[in-house]
Amino acid sequence: MTPVTIWQTFDSAFSVRFSTMNTMCQQINQKHYLYALGLVVPWCIYRWYKGSRRVTKKEDKYVYITGCDSGFGNLLARHLDKQGFNVIAACYTEKGEEELKNITSDRLATLHLDVADSKSVAKAATLIKTLVGPKGLWAVVNNAGIALPSGPTDWMTIYDYKNMLAVNLCGVIDVTLSVLPLIKKAKGRVVNVASVFGRVSAFGGPYCVSKFGVESFNDSLRLNMAPFGIKVACIEPGFFKTNVTDTVAMKNNLRQLWERLPQDVKEDYGPDYLQASIDMLEQRFNMLTDGNLMKVVYCMEHAISAVYPQTRYSAGWDAKFFWLPAAYLPTSIADRLFRGNAPPFKPKV
């Protein structure tokens, strides 16, 4: 046989064997996909069934909710009241208390609460202890929070940080600790409302700092309370149309922050930066904010009433498919993404 004939014979045999091996690999991969699919479907059914189970005797269970004047807290108080829970709705204003009483049953009790004032928190806890009696408190929902002031970090003062941390972080901790002995009695729940911006800092100011703190407190509390049978859940909403994301208030906030800035800082950013920030804020909020607040309320309700609640709830499509995935990106890529969506300007040299 000539060298050419030998090579042709070898090449033909190799091609046949390679084709056979490739076919076998494809068949194996197809089987693996079928096996994986066969495992995923039962797992989804099991998870759905497990999550669908609800606690019984709701009429004996008390739920303490902060920030019930409006938004998520107000809707949750009304929703749980209809389901038969004994709701203790904490409001910051008398108007909020009166309006809530007028549209709910006699089971719902309201009280005044300023989560940034420890005396107010302690007074509320004493009243709740009297209401719940020996049964204890089934759940506390730390919903109260503020979002302003918000802007670039070098526009802020330390007092801006202290004021927001007093409400969004210290208030959550203070309220939780004030009723934790009552929750231990009932082997109940602690539900903390954080934000997707407790997982990723997409802008400056104290808001993300406060929500990162809530996430950390939530995680440590969950570990510490597990031996007592207490379940701790964290709600992480995306953008929703509430008082916190009111565009008029946000734009006024930016103007007020700009007006109080020293002249040298204004020159650093340039005269057009303020208007560019306002325009971009309105564009982003109109594009991202979701008007269906019940998406968050249903997550809260599940954390309270499910036999097996989740440890974290991501509410809103933007949270699930943009903000949370962005939190797992490499830092360099995430930074480039967020800088690319910031108002354009050239810092003064």
Side-chain angles (χ1 to χ4, degrees):
M1 296 177 67
T2 64
V4 174
T5 305
I6 294 173
W7 171 253
Q8 289 176 343
T9 303
F10 175 78
D11 183 59
S12 176
F14 179 79
S15 298
V16 171
R17 180 160 295 185
F18 180 79
S19 177
T20 303
M21 290 177 63
N22 188 42
T23 303
M24 291 174 62
C25 288
Q26 289 178 352
Q27 291 174 347
I28 292 171
N29 286 336
Q30 289 175 354
K31 288 182 180 179
H32 285 171
Y33 292 141
L34 291 174
Y35 292 150
L37 184 62
L39 292 173
V40 168
V41 172
W43 178 80
C44 290
I45 295 173
Y46 167 74
R47 187 179 180 187
W48 168 82
Y49 172 73
K50 187 177 179 181
S52 66
R53 297 180 60 189
R54 293 293 190 270
V55 296
T56 58
K57 298 182 179 179
K58 294 178 181 179
E59 66 279 0
D60 294 334
K61 292 177 169 58
Y62 286 83
V63 181
Y64 175 29
I65 310 168
T66 67
C68 292
D69 296 83
S70 62
F72 303 132
N74 186 277
L75 288 175
L76 178 64
R78 290 152 56 184
H79 181 66
L80 294 181
D81 179 60
K82 290 178 181 178
Q83 290 196 337
F85 283 98
N86 296 291
V87 177
I88 305 170
C91 298
Y92 186 67
T93 64
E94 290 184 8
K95 181 182 177 183
E97 290 186 62
E98 292 174 2
E99 290 179 350
L100 197 53
K101 284 180 180 178
N102 291 335
I103 56 176
T104 54
S105 72
D106 294 336
R107 284 191 312 275
L108 186 139
T110 62
L111 54 83
H112 169 73
L113 177 67
D114 178 0
V115 297
D117 182 0
S118 290
K119 291 182 179 179
S120 178
V121 172
K123 184 178 179 181
T126 301
L127 178 59
I128 291 168
K129 185 177 181 179
T130 303
L131 285 173
V132 302
K135 296 178 182 177
L137 181 65
W138 174 249
V140 59
V141 182
N142 287 300
N143 167 73
I146 58 175
L148 298 178
S150 182
T153 302
D154 56 344
W155 292 19
M156 300 291 154
T157 68
I158 189 60
Y159 300 104
D160 296 326
Y161 278 84
K162 285 182 177 180
N163 290 337
M164 190 174 291
L165 289 171
V167 176
N168 290 4
L169 178 56
C170 295
V172 170
I173 298 170
D174 200 1
V175 169
T176 302
L177 296 180
S178 72
V179 295
L180 203 54
L182 301 176
I183 295 174
K184 283 182 178 179
K185 284 185 178 181
K187 293 187 177 181
R189 315 285 169 86
V190 177
V191 182
N192 295 315
V193 180
S195 169
V196 288
F197 299 113
R199 301 283 289 275
V200 57
S201 289
F203 50 88
Y207 184 76
C208 296
V209 176
S210 68
K211 293 303 182 181
F212 265 77
V214 172
E215 294 273 354
S216 177
F217 173 69
N218 187 86
D219 290 348
S220 60
L221 184 70
R222 186 181 64 251
L223 293 172
N224 294 156
M225 292 297 105
F228 296 98
I230 295 174
K231 295 179 172 61
V232 180
C234 190
I235 314 294
E236 299 172 337
F239 275 105
F240 286 87
K241 290 182 181 179
T242 65
N243 291 339
V244 170
T245 57
D246 179 62
T247 54
V248 174
M250 287 283 185
K251 288 188 284 187
N252 289 336
N253 159 74
L254 286 175
R255 293 189 183 97
Q256 290 169 5
L257 291 176
W258 179 263
E259 289 301 320
R260 79 179 190 185
L261 288 178
Q263 187 59 36
D264 59 333
V265 178
K266 291 182 180 179
E267 291 175 358
D268 286 343
Y269 283 87
D272 300 327
Y273 184 82
L274 175 62
Q275 190 57 48
S277 298
I278 291 174
D279 293 341
M280 182 164 285
L281 181 147
E282 188 163 15
Q283 178 189 0
R284 292 287 185 268
F285 275 48
N286 289 338
M287 179 176 63
L288 292 174
T289 49
D290 190 335
N292 186 5
L293 304 188
M294 291 305 294
K295 291 180 181 178
V296 179
V297 173
Y298 288 140
C299 291
M300 293 172 164
E301 183 269 329
H302 189 272
I304 294 164
S305 63
V307 176
Y308 300 103
Q310 300 175 28
T311 53
R312 275 186 167 84
Y313 295 83
S314 299
W317 293 110
D318 62 318
K320 289 181 172 69
F321 296 109
F322 181 73
W323 298 113
L324 288 181
Y328 292 100
L329 289 174
T331 303
S332 58
I333 298 175
D335 286 356
R336 186 173 299 178
L337 174 66
F338 295 137
R339 285 202 305 267
N341 284 277
F345 78 104
K346 291 184 179 180
K348 180 184 175 182
V349 178

